[in-house]
Amino acid sequence: MINKTWSNIIFIVLDIAILVYVVLAMTSFNKPLIETNDTCSKLEINIEENLTAGFLTSDDIKSILMSKKIYPLGKSISMISTREIEETLLENNLVESVLCYTTSNNHVIIGLKQRTAVLRIKTDMGDDYYLDNNGNIIPKVQYPTDLIVATGNFSRKYAQKHLSGLGNILVGDNFWKDEIEQIYVMPSGTIEMIPRTGNHVIYLGEPTDIESKLERLYKFYKFGLNKIGWNKYSYINLEFDNQIICKKK
């Protein structure tokens, strides 16, 4: 009889325990998620530095996101689509690549690389655009940049094939980046350059072996014009290998 009584007590205790578990489980299931401060508390925009002054600033990026109503600051992290932010920014023709992600402390990080403009193109036919380091056309934008200007009568195909490489070489060297002010494409397709120092014109000839020609010119500047004067010649011809032909004023 005693054993039967204890068995009943055990069953009753088990029934109560199960009932309590079920009630707690259902309550937990129906209860909203624990309220936490899951809003974006900080937006960090990192724009990779280029060889030349970039077009876009952090304020520009913020304006783009605000105009599309996807500015993340103050929004719930769960409502922020990092992919949508990336796709929106990539629609801008000045952006080369972008990576957006959230952190464990509710920050949104945007890492952005913009296209590197190496030349400003202004042709006699009225074309006005920028050329990037990959030979791509960047339509004219409102941001001023201190770039070497290429002028003359030439097509976009010519610019992409020949001037992009020349622009990369010039902006990739601190001396030539500061020294060359203008590139002029002649009707024959050969190239002249206007330097900032001296009153001479540099004739490259065909847009080939550019680095070799510039190396010869640099040595001539350093060991020649530095001694005899920068205004002695009006025309410096680098067209032919292993020689420099100069025309006196």
Side-chain angles (χ1 to χ4, degrees):
M1 187 73 177
I2 296 175
N3 289 337
K4 186 175 181 180
T5 301
W6 276 106
S7 295
N8 290 335
I9 293 174
I10 291 172
F11 280 119
I12 292 171
V13 171
L14 287 174
D15 287 341
I16 294 173
I18 292 172
L19 179 63
V20 170
Y21 172 80
V22 170
V23 171
L24 289 176
M26 292 182 65
T27 302
S28 175
F29 179 80
N30 290 299
K31 186 178 180 180
L33 293 175
I34 298 174
E35 295 183 1
T36 59
N37 184 20
D38 66 342
T39 58
C40 171
S41 58
K42 182 179 180 181
L43 172 63
E44 183 178 326
I45 300 173
N46 301 313
I47 300 178
E48 184 177 322
E49 291 187 2
N50 287 336
L51 292 172
T52 58
F55 296 101
L56 295 171
T57 66
S58 294
D59 288 338
D60 295 321
I61 302 304
K62 292 177 182 178
S63 296
I64 293 171
L65 299 179
M66 286 179 179
S67 67
K68 297 294 185 178
K69 302 186 186 305
I70 55 174
Y71 187 67
L73 194 61
K75 284 188 176 182
S76 171
I77 291 293
S78 62
M79 299 298 292
I80 296 172
S81 171
T82 56
R83 181 174 180 178
E84 185 179 8
I85 290 175
E86 291 174 348
E87 291 176 347
T88 298
L89 294 177
L90 283 172
E91 291 175 359
N92 189 297
N93 57 30
L94 299 176
V95 176
E96 181 174 322
S97 62
V98 60
L99 174 65
C100 179
Y101 59 94
T102 59
T103 64
S104 58
N105 56 349
N106 296 332
H107 293 178
V108 172
I109 311 296
I110 298 176
L112 183 141
K113 180 179 181 181
Q114 55 184 318
R115 294 165 67 179
T116 303
V118 294
L119 291 176
R120 172 77 178 271
I121 308 295
K122 298 186 72 173
T123 71
D124 296 343
M125 300 174 290
D127 249 348
D128 192 350
Y129 57 90
Y130 296 92
L131 200 62
D132 77 4
N133 58 317
N134 294 315
N136 299 313
I137 304 295
I138 302 177
K140 183 183 176 183
V141 290
Q142 61 183 354
Y143 308 101
T145 56
D146 185 20
L147 288 175
I148 300 168
V149 179
T151 61
N153 191 344
F154 55 91
S155 66
R156 293 193 172 195
K157 184 177 180 180
Y158 177 95
Q160 291 177 297
K161 183 177 180 180
H162 300 294
L163 297 185
S164 176
L166 174 57
N168 275 323
I169 293 171
L170 294 177
V171 302
D173 185 286
N174 288 331
F175 177 80
W176 295 119
K177 180 181 177 181
D178 294 333
E179 176 65 12
I180 302 302
E181 183 175 22
Q182 182 182 344
I183 295 168
Y184 177 69
V185 179
M186 305 178 75
S188 61
T190 55
I191 293 175
E192 292 180 340
M193 299 194 303
I194 310 299
R196 298 181 188 276
T197 307
N199 294 320
H200 56 266
V201 173
I202 302 164
Y203 182 65
L204 290 178
E206 296 291 336
T208 57
D209 300 321
I210 301 298
E211 291 178 316
S212 175
K213 293 174 182 178
L214 291 179
E215 184 179 358
R216 272 186 282 139
L217 180 59
Y218 181 78
K219 291 179 179 178
F220 180 65
Y221 275 179
K222 184 176 181 180
F223 301 109
L225 297 190
N226 269 342
K227 297 179 179 180
I228 63 177
W230 286 81
N231 297 319
K232 186 176 181 64
Y233 301 107
S234 61
Y235 208 76
I236 299 176
N237 187 338
L238 304 170
E239 180 180 15
F240 304 107
D241 291 340
N242 301 318
Q243 59 180 305
I244 297 176
I245 302 172
C246 299
K247 180 180 178 181
K248 288 185 178 180
K249 282 190 174 182

